[in-house]
Amino acid sequence: MSERVLSIQSHVSFGYVGGKAAVFPLQCLGYDVDVVNSVNFSNHSGYGRFGGSKATPEDLIKIFNLMEQNGLLSPSRLLTGYIPGGEALTVIAQLAKKLRSNNPDLIYLLDPVLGDSGKLYVSPDVVPIYRSILPLATIITPNWFEVETLTEVRLTNVDALRRALAILHEQYRVPHVVVSSMPLVPPVEAGLPAILRSPKSSEDLICISSSFIPDHSKRANPPELSSVFVLRFPCLPGYFSGVGDLFSALVLAHYRPSLPTLPQSAPPTQTPLSIATSHALSKTFSILEFTSAQLLSLPEEERTLTDDEADGADPERKVKRMRGRELKLIQGQDILRGERPIETRWMAAWEDFWHSK
Amino acid sequence: MSERVLSIQSHVSFGYVGGKAAVFPLQCLGYDVDVVNSVNFSNHSGYGRFGGSKATPEDLIKIFNLMEQNGLLSPSRLLTGYIPGGEALTVIAQLAKKLRSNNPDLIYLLDPVLGDSGKLYVSPDVVPIYRSILPLATIITPNWFEVETLTEVRLTNVDALRRALAILHEQYRVPHVVVSSMPLVPPVEAGLPAILRSPKSSEDLICISSSFIPDHSKRANPPELSSVFVLRFPCLPGYFSGVGDLFSALVLAHYRPSLPTLPQSAPPTQTPLSIATSHALSKTFSILEFTSAQLLSLPEEERTLTDDEADGADPERKVKRMRGRELKLIQGQDILRGERPIETRWMAAWEDFWHSK
């Protein structure tokens, strides 16, 4: 029997962010997806001009109640992304609580969409509400800035990263944390496993997965709190929207609670989370490479780089760039389905994470 | 370069009707789909309990205007389905007019969703608005009842069918008409091409495609107004929701303005519309067969037949049945993509349609 995901995200008519970036990949991978739209907008905010309507908290409650009355509210998985406003988020929190209590095995992937690159997208009063929902999640997929915002720890070195992960696992009881992307600053690079310290580009990013070890006191001395894996990958030039939404959906799609048989090409030590993250990151990266390659065939005016000054002088400049940078999910759907051969970028165990200096 | 469809339909969180039945198949077949939700409902109306919010005419105008300002409103194809209410429909009509005047090659598939089996789903004042939009359409896909409602001709025999098609082609200037399904009443069966008059079940349905011949006066004597094709197929037991929405999306997906090279198995005489309709009907029928087959594995209480009396006494009876009868689009996606071998049911030319008694 196939599994059913309830996905609560923003909807845009044109382009691929929020639900438009998450639902199709999940469907391609065999999931029935129940889709609740937190907003119905024309396009993503990066175009400068955008808008439409938002679901009110009452709209959301009505839809969830009707689904429940009809026996349609028993998904095996829950996915939540960008939810604008604290009231709507509180409704989602109540729903997550109900689904979790109805089904202790519910796999809830919470993408705490708060901001990026040092800037909040949401109003600051949403942050404590997100913190209150964290204990309901099975997996969270914050970027580095969202980890900093949720934990109030600046991720300047490996020790800070340890403290932040400890807060998420211990204080907020999140079993599985994926830090979707984090710049590789020198103090973090110095703490990486030796194999990843090769002299690659300083523009590289890392992705980290961390799965809580319930009886960690017994595991080692000094104890390890979680199994940490890390992947280093190059940063592709320019900004693409919807990447985090696609990545989170793919982590959820590839996550299996028990460890599957691994292909021979995989490193022998893996966790269910590191496997899901490896597949999600590999596919997301391939979609980005494919989208970038398609960009080269566009007229020059549609592949300008971000330049706030030039964009300010000519809003159309930004709009044209945005159109060209929409993820090519349709043309690259065989990547999503695993039917086009791509390099699987396997995460590496960060063995001494909890002990390194 | 891949094509882009603007799809304006109802959205349900759970299940597969409206946009949920149309968008995924179009995406699987390589179309970028811009999705505007005319409603955001919990589930389809067949469950008895349903609801959510409707896009107001102002919401729709706002989204279309923002898309236009951002240069995101130049789809090569337009698909419209269920639009509740005359005001919203008027907004869609204005949009269709603009898209058509911007792009004379726009392929607009209009599914005039009015009702079925002799009952209107919409308020009667919507009917004249649909009539006013017909001249903008490239293809329409009414069922027999919608043809009757639009043309005010009762489809009791072949002569009535001729009159109805003449009205749609000549008075409303629709180039391509697909009558998606029509019961095979004896006076119609008697007029069918001989090959289709074999003693099959009287429960059979027919699907008709009719493509206008612009210079029909020259074609034959007496003149033929259109190339008519017909397909006879068995009626599967019970009612499935979203079938018309899936079928219309597949007709649009498979329609190519110029005649492609046909496989050797196809009858030699075809039109672009008869080919698209053959593929759409074959895939829709396979999805229905697949969904029916899956039904057999459900508990008996989830596969009851329609019985208004029993349903009235126990509303849950209907709800359980509805859940089991949701189209299995995800599990059957290889049918949609043409990767699972299915029987292609080719339409047959109805050679003497315009001359038969």
Side-chain angles (χ1 to χ4, degrees), chain A residues 47-272:
Chain A
Y47 285 89
R49 287 176 294 234
F50 66 101
S53 60
K54 291 184 186 187
T56 64
E58 294 70 36
D59 289 337
L60 294 173
I61 290 170
K62 194 178 185 182
I63 284 176
F64 297 144
N65 283 349
L66 284 161
M67 288 177 74
E68 186 174 22
Q69 287 166 26
N70 286 332
L72 307 178
L73 200 59
S74 46
S76 53
R77 301 184 179 215
L78 174 65
L79 172 64
T80 63
Y82 176 64
I83 314 286
E87 272 189 282
L89 195 58
T90 304
V91 173
I92 308 296
Q94 286 158 353
L95 173 79
K97 203 169 285 179
K98 177 182 286 179
L99 294 180
R100 165 73 65 218
S101 83
N102 289 349
N103 175 14
D105 294 330
L106 177 80
I107 298 172
Y108 174 17
L109 191 148
L110 164 66
D111 185 7
V113 181
L114 294 168
D116 200 2
S117 311
K119 271 193 348 214
L120 275 183
Y121 302 149
V122 297
S123 88
D125 62 339
V126 165
V127 178
I129 306 178
Y130 265 114
R131 289 198 190 106
S132 74
I133 307 178
L134 289 179
L136 295 166
T138 314
I139 308 172
I140 63 172
T141 53
N143 59 35
W144 67 272
F145 173 69
E146 289 157 347
V147 173
E148 288 191 345
T149 306
L150 291 168
T151 62
E152 297 181 300
V153 174
R154 295 269 153 267
L155 300 179
T156 48
N157 54 42
V158 176
D159 189 53
L161 190 56
R162 267 194 295 265
R163 274 183 289 134
L165 287 179
I167 290 171
L168 293 170
H169 286 309
E170 291 195 313
Q171 183 175 336
Y172 293 108
R173 318 302 300 165
V174 181
H176 301 289
V177 176
V178 178
V179 185
S180 58
S181 70
M182 182 170 154
L184 192 47
V185 292
V188 173
E189 176 163 24
L192 281 186
I195 191 171
L196 294 177
R197 259 180 276 140
S198 54
K200 294 188 182 170
S201 163
S202 63
E203 300 277 286
D204 280 1
L205 301 170
I206 54 174
C207 170
I208 295 165
S209 80
S210 176
S211 289
F212 180 66
I213 302 165
D215 54 348
H216 65 91
S217 61
K218 296 177 194 148
R219 264 280 299 243
N221 187 11
E224 296 177 347
L225 187 66
S226 68
S227 295
V228 177
F229 285 72
V230 60
L231 182 68
R232 179 175 181 155
F233 59 98
C235 179
L236 291 176
Y239 187 80
F240 296 86
S241 297
V243 180
D245 307 320
L246 169 63
F247 173 74
S248 295
L250 289 172
V251 169
L252 181 61
H254 283 285
Y255 179 77
R256 296 270 165 266
S258 53
L259 205 62
T261 313
L262 285 171
Q264 286 199 324
S265 58
T269 316
Q270 292 286 330
T271 63

Side-chain angles (χ1 to χ4, degrees), chain A residues 305-318 321:
Chain A
L305 290 178
T306 304
D307 177 337
D308 288 343
E309 201 174 322
D311 288 354
D314 174 15
E316 296 313 313
R317 188 176 179 277
K318 181 161 68 174
R321 181 174 66 244

